[in-house]
Each structure stands twice: as C-alpha cells, then as structure tokens.
Amino acid sequence: MSTHAPTLGRMMHRPLLITHLLERAATIHGRATVVSQRPDKTRVRRTYADIGARASRLAHALAALGVTAGTRVATLCWNHEAHLEAYVAVPCMGAVVHTLNLRLHPNDLAYIARHANDEVILVDRSLLPLFAQFAAQVPSLRHVIVVGDSGPVDTSGGHRDYETLLAQAPPVPYPWPDLDENAAAMICYTSGTTGNPKGVVYSHRSTVLHSLVSAMADTLGLKDDDVVLPVVPMFHAAAWGLPYTALLTGASLVFPGPHLDAASVRDLMVKEKVTVAAGVPTIWLGLLALLDEEPGKHDLSRVRTTIIGGSAAPAAMIAGFRERHGIIITHAWGMTELNPLGTVAHLKPHLRAADAAAQLEVLASQGAPVPFVEIRHKGEDDGPPLPWDGATMGELETRGPWVADSYVGDEGEDRWTADGWFKTGDVVTIDREGYVRITDRAKDVVKSGGEWISSVALENALMSHPAVLEAAVFAARDEKWGERPVAAVVFKDGRRASDDELRAHLATRFPKFWLPDRFVAMHQIPRTSTGKFLKSKLREEHGGW
Ligand code: ADP
C-alpha cells in the first residue's frame, strides 16, 4: 500500500539510463581499458573511449538493419569487447539485448530465441557450428552478424561481418534517445532445470540501481583503479552486472573469451594484473588446487578479492585462499530473477576483531541483503515470516527494485506470493544480523524420516577433507526413511579416502542420521549449463529414482 505525502518542491526528474553509464565511461573514464582474450589466446586491447565510439557505430549499423525500439537483438557470444558493445549499444538505442546461454542444448536455444522473438543475432565465429544447429528453428531471425573472434568471417551465405558493419557505419555519435527508465534493456532466461526456461527482463532503471549498489564499498566495492575479470559468462545473469558496474565506476575490464579453466584464468589474472575476479565455485576450487601445488610461483598479489556465487562457496575453500594465498573471497548470492545480486557476505565492523573461526562463519554465509533488497523466509506460503534466529529453516522470499515481478509472458505466476514477493526456491536460515545461510534448494533438500538434511552443509564439510576436491550430496530413495543422503565425491589427484574415513570426518559435526549412507567416487560431477551440480541426474543414476 502506498500513501501520498505532500510534494513541497519538485526535483529534477532525469531517467536512470544505461546511456549515462556508457557516456560517462567513454568520456570521464575514457582511458580505462577493456582487454579481450581470443580463442587463440591473443589479447585485444581497447579503451572505454573506443568502446563508446564503437557502440555508436554498432547502433548506427543496427538502425540501418531496421532495429527500432523494442527489437530483440540476441547474442551468442563469449565474454569479449563486442559483447560489451552490444550490452550498451542495444539498450541505449531503445532495443533489447537478449543473451543466449551457449551451454544450453540447441533445442532449448531454439525455444528461447523463438520465445523472445529475436530478430537479429550476434554470433561468435567460433560458435557458428552451435548456431547452425538451431538457426533454422527460429523464423523470427532476420539478420545474422558474425563476430570474427577466431578468424575472417565468411559472408557468402548472407551473414554479416561485425567489424565491416562497424567500419561502414557513420563515424559520428549516435543520437541516443531519451527513454523511459522502465524500458526493457536486457532479457535473460533462467536455465529451466524444472520446466521451460523463463524470461526475465532487466530495465534501464533496475540495471543502473543494481550497478550503483554493487559499486558500494561494503558490497562489491568496485573502483576506478580496479581491473575486473568476469569469468562468469556474460550470457548468464549479465555476468552479475559487472560490465555495467565497471562502466559506472571506471574500473577496467578483462574478458577471458572461451578459456575458463583454472590455469588459463590464473595466467590471465597474473598477466593483466587483475584486482577483482568473479565466477562460480568450480573455477576457484580448481584454482586453489593449482596454487596449492605450486605455492608462491604465481604473483597474484594484486588480487583484492574474488567474488564467488552461483552455488555455495565451501568454507574450506574460503579459508584456504585466505590463509595460504592471502586472497579474500567475497561470497555473494543472487539469481537471474534479481539482475542478479541479492546478498553479500561482508564483515561488519564489530566482526573484524573476531577470531578467524567466527569470521569464517560469516564469510562462508551467503551474506546479508544489499541495500534495497528486502528478504523474509516462510515455512508455509500463507504462514507468517519466520524468526531471524539463525536456526529456523524456511523458503527465502525477496522483493526490491531489481527483483523481477513477473516472467516474460506472465509464465510461472506461482513464483510470486499474493503480496508480491518473489519465492526464490532456496531454503535458508536468517540470523539476527540478517546473514542468510542457504541450507538447500527446495528441490534438493534431503527429507529423511520427516526431518530435513541440508545437502549443502554436508557438501561443505566433505570439501574440507584434504583428499576431496568436490562433493555433491543428493537424495536416494529409501523404503524405510523415504530419502537418505548419498554423496558423490571427486578426489584430488593422487588422493583417496575410504567411506569410513569420510563418515568419521562428518561425524564430528552432524547428527548420525545426517551421515550419507553411501559415497560414490566420480571423475566429474555432472553440472547444469550454469555450473551447478546437476542433482537430478545424480538422483536418477545413483539414487534409485
Ligand atoms: P540458474 O538456475 O540459471 O542456474 P541462477 O544463477 O539464477 O540460475 O541460480 C540461482 C540459484 O543459484 C539460487 O536460487 C541459489 O539456489 C543458487 N545460488 C546462487 N548463489 C549462491 C550461493 N552463494 N550459495 C548457494 N547457492 C547459490
């Protein structure tokens, strides 16, 4: 309910537009750099001034192809400067950029591109084989623009070459229109692990506000002297908004292209003097193992922090980076539906004098909500919000200026409560200070004899065992208890541990009925397109479902 307070004076109303981020970066921070790694590992350097000029040219070129307000322009690209140019040029001209997740199955990509009504697509040359597998199933597509990331572009089949289009466009600034700040800027689709993927729209306003809050010192704290490496793909939740936050703050950007393995990421961090890197835990688990093998060999002293989210960052990993390599992890929680930042694990002043164990408790939590993100958790949809006591588990709900209030086409309406809060599907506790701890995704919680067992807590503990690289706990069917926990375990190279050893390692921290019935050794844990454990597959293959 809103009440109407008297208006005593009028403030200037200027809309919050991405255009401002672009123009500010190109002028005030014109010397900041954007480095892009190509598939052959060569690197291309540009400045924000270049990006501004090239975004203008891209907008001219797209306008000449018939792109107007609201036209959907898709991208099928790795992280690089042309993708950044699309991130700004498309929304600033009033059109909508739609990032396609190149890890999805071609049938899903076809569904999503049709659903979004994509008319133009920017495709990396290296991804043309993937594009060829679904292009014919998207009748709305009128123009294909190929980004020559891996060599010259063949235009004989009607494809256009990105660089040629830019070179032929007028070299004058594009007259960026005044837009409604609530206009759609970007569409991202959820990965649809249950049901069809759903489209989430980010507006200019939500993107600008999200960038401002992300830049705050006590959230992600980006600054003009930072060098930011988004390992998280730009096709996933806008690379956590980092490209926009970098433009806003004048921080330089380093894009990894397709090289996302730990050794390549480490080399890029060293060579480009990265200060802030961001990605899902898998990458950093790999990096930590590499650094542990060769302590002191690689100079990562410039790294101020590594932002980790997407799945739970294990406490042992956070401690390992800090104690053995002096790298501070910033653990954050977010969702595609949130543009995506929701909470950040930041030590409040009174905790900075606390002992290492108490600090780790907080640093390994998903953190407290960032400004403007409101949270509560519920046991039942119609029930009252649960107490913030750090113990009571319930489903996390949220609302805020960058929290979606619908999906494209009003699908999945049951994800919102009657009073308009978004139901995250994450089961959490919230403590007195607002620190959230995810105990599970609602669908992954193990329900044994009517009690809930947190798969995330068990995984975290398993990953603190010296022989374990990764662990995923999932529910197996059980006649007596309904479900019982089973752990899939990947051991570090040359290391092993017996089931009894692993069970003993857990027994000191958990009640007996929480301990996994079985351990399944694997070379690799199956993952979703966004790098999360694919527990549905584990359940099917090893859980008797
Ligand atoms: P997708 O479903 O496409 O993988 P999202 O990135 O939107 O997409 O996934 C959001 C979900 O990821 C959250 O609901 C939560 O379950 C999980 N998640 C995100 N960050 C964290 C984190 N720091 N710790 C634990 N889980 C996380």
Side-chain angles (χ1 to χ4, degrees):
M1 198 174 56
S2 61
T3 52
H4 292 283
T7 311
L8 299 179
R10 294 254 296 273
M11 305 301 282
M12 180 161 298
H13 180 80
R14 292 288 299 148
L16 300 173
L17 299 180
I18 293 171
T19 319
H20 181 75
L21 308 188
L22 168 62
E23 294 198 315
R24 182 175 169 82
T27 52
I28 312 288
H29 298 295
R31 289 172 193 236
T33 55
V34 178
V35 175
S36 307
Q37 181 170 246
R38 297 285 186 246
D40 66 1
K41 289 216 170 169
T42 54
R43 280 167 282 152
V44 174
R45 285 169 195 279
R46 305 217 190 267
T47 63
Y48 277 173
D50 299 334
I51 298 291
R54 286 167 57 87
S56 257
R57 285 171 176 267
L58 175 58
H60 280 298
L62 291 173
L65 293 178
V67 170
T68 56
T71 307
R72 259 61 113 212
V73 178
T75 58
L76 187 67
C77 297
W78 293 106
N79 290 10
H80 50 53
E81 83 285 12
H83 209 168
L84 178 68
E85 287 152 12
Y87 258 49
V88 283
V90 175
C92 294
M93 64 190 293
V96 187
V97 61
H98 170 208
T99 51
L100 285 166
N101 179 345
L102 56 89
R103 297 222 172 88
L104 294 179
H105 190 276
N107 290 345
D108 286 336
L109 285 166
Y111 169 85
I112 291 172
R114 272 199 313 269
H115 193 266
N117 200 22
D118 294 336
E119 292 185 39
V120 178
I121 187 165
L122 264 62
V123 190
D124 281 356
R125 181 180 181 270
S126 59
L127 294 169
L128 282 173
L130 170 63
F131 178 57
Q133 292 179 58
F134 69 91
Q137 299 173 56
V138 191
S140 54
L141 276 180
R142 293 187 289 117
H143 299 288
V144 179
I145 303 172
V146 181
V147 179
D149 65 337
S150 54
V153 173
D154 175 5
T155 51
S156 56
H159 291 177
R160 291 160 201 276
D161 170 35
Y162 184 80
E163 290 300 332
T164 309
L165 276 182
L166 259 55
Q168 289 169 349
V172 292
Y174 187 84
W176 304 117
D178 264 340
L179 299 168
D180 179 342
E181 64 180 15
N182 291 309
M186 181 180 276
I187 306 184
C188 295
Y189 276 71
T190 63
S191 60
T193 32
T194 48
N196 278 330
K198 310 262 184 327
V200 180
V201 174
Y202 302 162
S203 67
H204 281 261
R205 176 186 156 85
S206 73
T207 305
V208 169
L209 289 174
H210 181 271
S211 305
L212 267 172
V213 167
S214 299
M216 288 174 65
D218 296 337
T219 57
L220 304 185
L222 258 51
K223 304 191 269 62
D224 62 0
D225 59 356
D226 273 321
V227 179
V228 182
L229 170 68
V231 182
V232 49
M234 292 169 84
F235 56 75
H236 183 214
W240 301 347
L242 290 168
Y244 292 122
T245 310
L247 290 170
L248 170 71
T249 55
S252 289
L253 280 164
V254 178
F255 289 127
H259 302 290
L260 308 182
D261 62 288
S264 302
V265 167
R266 174 202 59 199
D267 292 348
L268 197 56
M269 286 169 86
V270 172
K271 283 188 195 137
E272 293 298 336
K273 302 185 171 58
V274 166
T275 63
V276 177
V280 294
T282 335
I283 288 156
W284 309 116
L285 278 169
L287 182 65
L288 181 60
L290 274 187
L291 296 179
D292 283 347
E293 273 169 27
E294 310 172 315
K297 185 159 171 220
H298 303 278
D299 180 12
L300 290 173
S301 58
R302 304 249 183 172
V303 180
R304 193 163 62 68
T305 191
T306 298
I307 304 163
I308 302 193
S311 351
M317 176 179 75
I318 297 175
F321 269 115
R322 182 160 141 161
E323 287 157 16
R324 301 197 290 280
H325 307 285
I327 295 178
I328 303 296
I329 302 290
T330 303
H331 191 199
W333 166 87
M335 297 184 76
T336 301
E337 289 86 342
L338 270 80
N339 213 2
L341 189 61
T343 61
V344 176
H346 165 76
L347 291 178
K348 295 178 197 173
H350 73 93
L351 287 162
R352 287 179 214 158
D355 62 36
Q359 290 194 358
L360 189 58
E361 235 328 84
V362 169
L363 293 175
S365 78
Q366 276 66 28
V370 299
F372 302 116
V373 170
E374 297 171 65
I375 57 166
R376 66 184 186 191
H377 65 324
K378 293 264 200 91
E380 288 155 46
D381 273 6
D382 314 333
L386 297 169
W388 288 21
D389 59 7
T392 313
M393 287 192 222
E395 183 180 359
L396 180 66
E397 297 180 355
T398 181
R399 66 177 184 185
W402 54 83
V403 179
D405 58 12
S406 65
Y407 290 120
V408 172
D410 285 332
E411 292 171 4
E413 279 172 322
D414 59 340
R415 293 296 297 274
W416 283 267
T417 63
D419 57 349
W421 291 63
F422 173 66
K423 297 195 274 182
T424 64
D426 286 329
V427 178
V428 303
T429 63
I430 307 177
D431 74 13
R432 250 189 305 171
E433 299 211 41
Y435 288 117
V436 173
R437 289 180 179 80
I438 296 194
T439 56
D440 245 312
R441 266 193 136 162
K443 59 184 180 354
D444 291 336
V445 81
V446 183
K447 296 172 197 112
S448 174
E451 298 284 340
W452 285 12
I453 297 175
S454 162
S455 64
V456 174
L458 288 170
E459 287 159 7
N460 252 321
L462 279 170
M463 286 190 260
S464 71
H465 188 285
V468 176
L469 181 65
E470 278 196 290
V473 173
F474 57 96
R477 268 182 128 139
D478 187 272
E479 262 187 28
K480 181 160 175 210
W481 301 107
E483 296 177 4
R484 288 294 302 148
V486 171
V489 178
V490 179
F491 290 107
K492 289 183 186 157
D493 272 352
R495 308 287 294 265
R496 293 297 283 196
S498 69
D499 291 7
D500 285 345
E501 279 170 90
L502 293 175
R503 216 170 272 122
H505 177 74
L506 296 174
T508 53
R509 316 169 197 210
F510 301 107
K512 201 153 168 256
F513 81 95
W514 275 47
L515 306 186
D517 280 8
R518 279 186 289 129
F519 294 86
V520 185
M522 295 190 159
H523 291 299
Q524 229 180 2
I525 292 173
R527 293 183 184 281
T528 68
S529 63
T530 52
K532 289 165 221 237
F533 295 147
L534 189 53
K535 295 199 180 172
S536 53
K537 186 148 188 225
L538 289 171
R539 279 192 290 263
E540 274 163 32
E541 289 180 2
H542 303 279
W545 293 91

